[in-house]
Amino acid sequence: MSEPTAEDLGNVTYHDDNADGFVDFEMHDFGCCDRNWALVDSDFDGTFDLHVQWGYSFTGKPIEQPVPHFVAISPRSSGWVR
């Protein structure tokens, strides 16, 4: 399996919604809402636990993946309501 390309990932931004210095939300924005998706750490424990996608309908599925470290965190909130 090959590594994902920028085209596969969209414009990726990282957000720290509880200001603890760790990523809580990873947004993959393709400029069109039917392809956008995100990883969410809903309980702020350092592990993404939800993969969400916007499309014809909103879908979410549970996952378990560590949040990334050493990435540039956006100065603004993700806007995700927990």
Side-chain angles (χ1 to χ4, degrees):
M1 183 173 207
S2 63
E3 289 292 314
T5 65
E7 187 176 291
D8 298 328
L9 298 175
N11 181 30
V12 182
T13 54
Y14 302 94
H15 303 272
D16 175 13
D17 291 337
N18 67 339
D20 65 354
F22 296 99
V23 173
D24 306 315
F25 190 88
E26 178 179 316
M27 180 68 191
H28 295 258
D29 187 348
F30 291 87
C32 179
C33 63
D34 66 343
R35 292 186 60 201
N36 295 348
W37 59 276
L39 301 175
V40 183
D41 178 2
S42 61
D43 53 6
F44 306 110
D45 67 353
T47 303
F48 289 129
D49 48 40
L50 186 62
H51 176 278
V52 294
Q53 184 163 7
W54 295 263
Y56 292 112
S57 63
F58 177 83
T59 59
K61 64 181 178 182
I63 63 166
E64 189 170 323
Q65 176 180 326
V67 300
H69 297 280
F70 309 110
V71 294
I73 296 176
S74 173
R76 63 183 178 82
S77 171
S78 69
W80 183 259
V81 179
R82 289 170 175 80

